[in-house]
Amino acid sequence: MSVKHWEDFHGTGALATGPSGEGGTYDHEVGTAWREFFSTLPRETRLLDIATGNGVIALMAADYAKEHGLAWSIDGSDLARIDPARHVKDGPQRLAGIRFHPGMPNERLAFDESSFDAVSGHYALEYGDIAATLRAVHPLLRPGGSAQFVLHHAGSPIVQSARVSLEAADHVLQQLRLHRKLHRLVTLEGGNENALRKASEDFVEALRTLKASWAATQAQGGGAHRMYALAIESTQRILEGRRALPGSAVGLEVDRAEEGFRSGARRLSDFIRVAVDDDAMARIAESATTAGFRQVEYSPIALGGTHVVGWQLTMHRP
């Protein structure tokens, strides 16, 4: 399951984890934070968006410049082998003029010093060495240049949902051991009748508990309910195809399903790990100052003034 599909499945919140506004860009308070940053930049600006992914912030900057008749030059870098034009609707037209640089880590940005008037990053800093990234960004800015980053907030609903989802994943993988019990059942061909009966009983009991957990979380929905639903759906799919395949082949299907489940759980764990609390945010601001930035400021971004979805961090090169 891809990162995007995993986040979509777990309902991690479009406003916080992915574009949701018109044309696949950010809206509400998240979008406002970026538009306010863009409004501070000169008429002729060269902007670098780090960890750009599919270029959402770069696209927002290009749209802002076009709307206000500004002469902006925009670059986007990312460690991954990105190709935004392929993955964004009408990408070749909408992203025309934006230069993307795949295979470039945040900590080693291969641009000349004083190349940019501004640097942006949306959920970028927290996925690498923050201090090293800030040290790499600082010399790229021209004197008087500015940078803004949005980071995951440890108290956000999406992080809370991820924690609940991860607990459900642990329940399925470690406590119920659903996939291991299913694997044993489907690969016991011509084995001892008592062993087969025991394997069947163990699996049926695990599946019964799983379905009870799914039913118990149905009213509130959320990540745990969807996690249990994913485990039930994949199990049923394997069982439905069991008669058409030998036990060894079904066992491989179980292994693949389990690895997919574990991979999703690891993504949730990584997501929770990088979310930034108050103390960590203070340390990041200190790292920015140590890297040479001044006027380092940060504040939570809250939807409707209530649901915190991220941190807004701004800084300037003197």
Side-chain angles (χ1 to χ4, degrees), residues 82 112-113 161 169 217 234 239 250 260 291 317:
I82 56 169
D112 293 335
E113 290 191 13
S161 176
T217 57
S234 63
L239 291 175
V250 182
R317 178 178 180 180

Side-chain angles (χ1 to χ4, degrees), residues 27 53 55 80 96 102 181:
D27 57 10
K181 291 175 181 178

